[in-house]
C-alpha cells in the first residue's frame, strides 16, 4: 500500500532551512538535522538550494552569482588547458621535423 505524500507549509520549510544553515555551520550533519525534523536529508538539501535561488538578500544573490562565475571560469580554464596542450604538441612536432 502506498504511503500518502506529506505536505509541508512554507513556514516549516523556511524554519527548516534556517535550522540547516545554523546547524551545518557548527558541524552538524544534514542526516542528523533530518532525523530531528522528521524529513529526509535530500529534501532539506533541495529546500536549502531553492531558498538560495529565491532569496533576494545581497548575500544569497552574491552566492548565486559567484557560483555562476565559478562555472564560467572552470570552462575557461578547461579551454585554456586544451589550447596549451595543443601548442605543446605542435611545438614538439615541428621541433622533431627540424632535426
Amino acid at each position: 500500500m502506498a504511503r500518502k505524500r506529506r505536505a509541508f507549509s512554507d513556514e516549516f520549510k523556511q524554519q527548516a532551512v534556517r535550522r540547516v544553515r545554523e546547524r551545518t555551520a557548527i558541524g552538524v550533519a544534514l542526516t542528523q538535522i533530518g532525523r530531528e525534523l522528521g524529513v529526509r536529508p535530500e529534501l532539506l538539501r533541495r529546500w536549502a538550494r531553492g531558498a538560495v535561488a529565491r532569496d533576494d538578500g545581497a548575500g544569497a544573490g552574491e552566492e548565486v552569482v559567484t557560483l555562476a562565475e565559478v562555472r564560467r571560469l572552470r570552462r575557461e580554464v578547461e579551454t585554456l588547458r586544451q589550447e596549451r596542450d595543443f601548442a605543446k604538441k605542435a611545438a614538439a612536432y615541428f621541433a622533431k621535423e627540424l632535426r
Side-chain angles (χ1 to χ4, degrees):
M1 187 156 127
R3 291 183 1 182
K4 185 178 178 187
R5 188 176 183 152
R6 295 189 307 174
F8 298 99
S9 68
D10 288 337
E11 183 180 350
F12 178 82
K13 292 176 184 180
Q14 291 170 356
Q15 289 175 353
V17 168
R18 190 174 312 118
R19 188 172 196 166
V20 165
R21 288 179 181 163
E22 291 169 355
R23 306 264 299 171
T24 54
I26 59 173
V28 178
L30 201 58
T31 53
Q32 176 63 32
I33 300 167
R35 270 188 240 122
E36 292 169 1
L37 296 172
V39 178
R40 294 182 141 199
E42 297 84 19
L43 188 57
L44 288 174
R45 200 173 288 118
R46 190 178 332 139
W47 289 348
R49 270 192 238 123
V52 168
R54 281 190 318 268
D55 206 357
D56 291 332
E62 289 174 9
E63 184 176 330
V64 171
V65 171
T66 303
L67 292 175
E69 178 80 5
V70 168
R71 278 190 223 106
R72 184 188 66 79
L73 290 172
R74 285 184 178 160
R75 282 193 305 266
E76 185 176 339
V77 166
E78 184 58 32
T79 303
L80 291 171
R81 283 183 179 152
Q82 289 174 356
E83 291 173 357
R84 179 202 59 200
D85 293 344
F86 178 78
K88 279 183 181 180
K89 288 177 185 178
Y93 174 80
F94 290 117
K96 186 177 10 173
E97 196 174 271
L98 292 175
R99 289 184 202 165

